[in-house]
Amino acid sequence: MADNDTSKLSAALEDYLEAILNLSAERGVARSRGIADTLGVARSSVTRALRSLADRGLVNYEPYGIVTLTDDGLRIAETVARRHEIIQSFFVNVLGVEKDIAQKGACEAAHALGPAIIDRLMGFIEFVNDSHKNGDDLVGRFRQFCKNRPAAKDKTPSKATRRKATKTLAHAKPGQKVRLTSINAGQKLRSRLAALGLVPNVEITVVSTGRPGPFMINVKGSKIALGKPMVDKIIVE
Amino acid sequence: MADNDTSKLSAALEDYLEAILNLSAERGVARSRGIADTLGVARSSVTRALRSLADRGLVNYEPYGIVTLTDDGLRIAETVARRHEIIQSFFVNVLGVEKDIAQKGACEAAHALGPAIIDRLMGFIEFVNDSHKNGDDLVGRFRQFCKNRPAAKDKTPSKATRRKATKTLAHAKPGQKVRLTSINAGQKLRSRLAALGLVPNVEITVVSTGRPGPFMINVKGSKIALGKPMVDKIIVE
DNA sequence: TTGAAAAGTTAGCCGAGACTAACTATATTA
DNA sequence: TAATATAGTTAGTCTCGGCTAACTTTTCAA
Ligand SMILES: [Mn+2]
Ligand SMILES: [Mn+2]
Ligand SMILES: [Mn+2]
Ligand SMILES: [Mn+2]
């Protein structure tokens, strides 16, 4: 009988429920083979998932039988399917994303976004539709807006890039002067380097960056050759 | 040295990179302990993740050392962080979702949404801001719109619910007449039930639904008692 | 009715990613 | 400088969710 459904379901198991719901609607019945095909997994994986779902009281299942959702299972399946639909609708109908891509992204995102966000998102879609009825073609304006500006690239630097990233000696160019911040290594290596003058706050002048040849630096008048692994461990500013 | 980064990174490893980027920016340096605290995992989990990332050439790491991102790692970390920021910004600044919830959802969704969707989403945020400058307070209008309608619930039935779900005998109420569609069981059980008159298309009248007592049905004049497991296997319409 | 073909299950393997407990290296401080 | 506290690693375990190969059950058609 229906077991406890304390812990939240994994994305994978939610997908099984969603697949069962869809198959039931489309073909009238959900069988193991159909689920495997829908999700692109091996038939044996389905068997195991069904046992797991049955243990949680979410499907009626027994070996060689067809699969139906219990009331609990139906509730979850509908919630997931609905989230998927809403997110996908936003991607396609508002953002104008290509259907296949939207489908894939929405199916995954559906497991990550809870009621608070989904409700708002649905409200927003309604708002957009409502605006349209009132003569304001928001989506059309957005499309137009997109045309009039150089398509932003996913790689465009943003706040993230503006944050200073830790620089190692490897990032320095020949001729550049840098100050040693710290050495990313154990004390034995650190003391070995200290003997060469490589201590915190010392000024380093990069002589050559070692392609080809060794990475050469100048520290207080003496030239030092460093190996690549070493170069990555020396933090500078 | 930098290994091949053929296969796409898992969400978990992307989170490690993101955490390292953030720690480097906030504290100047990323150490194992800080990563563990940020992500809420055990220190030993961090050790393993760092080894894995180092193998892929995404971080400079060696035991007991501090951690820095390689150029490849930095690129990925920034991409993930930026997706996170854009999605979160949409949730908070457009949809008006509470910060903590938006943060959590965005961090997860960031791994699921690729450039095609993210680019559009960022464009949309810009569009909204742009509209605002031109005197159209879209967000304000949306907030107003939300107030003027009964808050939609995540459980509201939608297309998903409108699809007919498979009904079992368990869903029937006392006195109800239903037609048997199929029996979710192997042939031996099916023939046993067939002997009782339970064959496809036969009409079943529900007598009592068995709380307490057995589930009783009337088939062609004869009363039959069914156990709960059986009731779940009989598909009707 | 019987013998494939198809559907489904079992058994065993694997990698990812978490955990705890115990150990080791490093840092701190008296 | 030695003792202790903290940080980090190692070893071993677990669950999840894939997979293949081999077997069994059910279906279907001759
Ligand atoms: Mn889906
Ligand atoms: Mn999904
Ligand atoms: Mn994030
Ligand atoms: Mn994340």
Side-chain angles (χ1 to χ4, degrees):
Chain A
M1 204 133 310
D3 249 323
N4 48 352
D5 51 306
T6 315
S7 55
K8 254 217 296 295
L9 222 49
S10 69
L13 289 187
E14 285 186 350
D15 278 341
Y16 280 99
L17 291 181
E18 196 185 2
I20 293 166
L21 178 67
N22 291 337
L23 286 170
S24 297
E26 287 159 20
R27 308 189 192 176
V29 74
R31 294 202 314 262
S32 189
R33 181 67 201 269
I35 299 170
D37 290 347
T38 304
L39 297 180
V41 300
R43 298 191 318 281
S44 59
S45 302
V46 177
T47 299
R48 196 144 49 118
L50 290 177
R51 250 203 306 266
S52 174
L53 290 170
D55 285 349
R56 294 162 208 244
L58 301 176
V59 300
N60 302 122
Y61 161 76
E62 68 183 39
Y64 301 102
I66 68 174
V67 186
T68 57
L69 295 165
T70 64
D71 292 347
D72 282 354
L74 181 62
R75 240 194 35 244
I76 298 176
E78 283 180 344
T79 299
V80 173
R82 184 164 157 285
R83 289 177 184 180
H84 177 140
E85 279 174 21
I86 290 171
I87 298 167
Q88 183 168 340
S89 166
F90 173 71
F91 289 165
V92 172
N93 302 132
V94 179
L95 297 187
V97 172
E98 208 255 303
K99 171 103 185 268
D100 290 1
I101 295 174
Q103 145 75 30
K104 195 149 173 285
C107 193
E108 286 190 57
H111 310 289
L113 308 184
I117 294 172
I118 295 292
D119 287 348
R120 294 288 180 140
L121 190 55
M122 193 179 57
F124 191 75
I125 293 171
E126 280 174 25
F127 167 72
V128 170
N129 291 338
D130 189 74
S131 292
H132 192 247
K133 275 186 213 118
N134 295 351
D136 177 10
D137 182 9
L138 262 178
V139 173
R141 279 165 57 204
F142 174 51
R143 295 279 181 288
Q144 200 55 43
F145 175 85
C146 286
K147 272 184 204 135
N148 297 339
R149 102 213 146 95
K153 293 293 285 185
D154 191 25
K155 288 169 191 167
T156 306
S158 79
K159 245 186 268 176
T161 305
R162 266 176 256 131
R163 294 168 189 155
K164 71 173 194 303
T166 306
K167 287 279 180 209
T168 68
L169 201 48
H171 297 91
K173 295 180 200 72
Q176 198 177 345
K177 275 196 179 72
V178 295
R179 180 187 309 280
L180 196 159
T181 302
S182 65
I183 295 173
N184 168 8
Q187 64 179 182
K188 63 189 181 309
L189 178 55
R190 276 214 314 282
S191 56
R192 191 142 60 80
L193 290 173
L196 299 171
L198 286 168
V199 293
N201 282 320
V202 76
E203 200 166 73
I204 300 173
T205 307
V206 178
V207 175
S208 72
T209 51
R211 242 170 297 179
F215 196 106
M216 296 293 299
I217 60 175
N218 193 317
V219 179
K220 295 191 185 171
S222 50
K223 283 207 192 91
I224 303 173
L226 298 172
K228 254 247 183 64
M230 210 63 96
V231 171
D232 281 333
K233 295 187 189 72
I234 298 176
I235 318 293
V236 299
E237 60 180 6
Chain B
M1 203 135 311
D3 249 323
N4 47 352
D5 51 309
T6 316
S7 55
K8 254 217 295 297
L9 223 48
S10 67
L13 289 186
E14 285 185 351
D15 278 340
Y16 280 100
L17 291 181
E18 196 185 2
I20 294 166
L21 179 67
N22 291 336
L23 285 169
S24 298
E26 288 158 21
R27 307 190 191 174
V29 75
R31 292 200 315 261
S32 189
R33 181 65 201 269
I35 299 170
D37 291 346
T38 304
L39 297 181
V41 300
R43 294 181 336 268
S44 60
S45 302
V46 177
T47 300
R48 193 143 52 117
L50 289 177
R51 249 202 306 267
S52 173
L53 290 170
D55 285 348
R56 294 161 208 246
L58 301 176
V59 300
N60 304 121
Y61 161 76
E62 70 182 37
Y64 301 101
I66 68 175
V67 187
T68 57
L69 295 165
T70 64
D71 291 346
D72 282 353
L74 181 62
R75 238 191 40 243
I76 297 176
E78 283 179 344
T79 298
V80 172
R82 185 166 156 283
R83 290 177 184 180
H84 177 140
E85 278 174 24
I86 289 171
I87 298 167
Q88 182 168 341
S89 166
F90 173 71
F91 290 165
V92 172
N93 301 131
V94 179
L95 297 187
V97 173
E98 208 255 305
K99 171 105 186 265
D100 290 1
I101 294 173
Q103 145 73 31
K104 195 149 174 285
C107 193
E108 286 190 57
H111 310 289
L113 308 184
I117 294 172
I118 294 291
D119 287 348
R120 293 289 180 137
L121 190 56
M122 192 177 59
F124 191 75
I125 293 171
E126 279 174 26
F127 167 72
V128 171
N129 291 338
D130 189 74
S131 291
H132 193 248
K133 275 186 214 119
N134 296 350
D136 178 9
D137 182 10
L138 261 179
V139 173
R141 278 165 57 204
F142 175 51
R143 295 279 180 286
Q144 198 57 42
F145 175 85
C146 286
K147 272 185 205 137
N148 296 340
R149 104 214 144 93
K153 294 292 287 186
D154 190 24
K155 288 170 191 167
T156 305
S158 81
K159 244 187 269 176
T161 305
R162 266 176 254 131
R163 294 168 189 155
K164 71 172 193 305
T166 307
K167 286 278 181 215
T168 69
L169 201 48
H171 296 91
K173 295 181 199 72
Q176 199 177 346
K177 276 195 178 71
V178 297
R179 181 188 308 281
L180 196 158
T181 303
S182 64
I183 296 174
N184 167 9
Q187 61 179 183
K188 64 187 179 312
L189 179 55
R190 274 213 316 283
S191 56
R192 190 143 59 80
L193 291 174
L196 299 172
L198 285 167
V199 294
N201 280 320
V202 78
E203 200 167 71
I204 299 173
T205 307
V206 177
V207 176
S208 72
T209 51
R211 245 171 295 177
F215 197 105
M216 297 292 299
I217 60 176
N218 193 320
V219 179
K220 294 191 188 173
S222 49
K223 285 206 190 92
I224 302 173
L226 298 171
K228 252 240 186 72
M230 208 64 93
V231 171
D232 281 334
K233 296 189 187 73
I234 297 176
I235 318 292
V236 299
E237 61 179 9

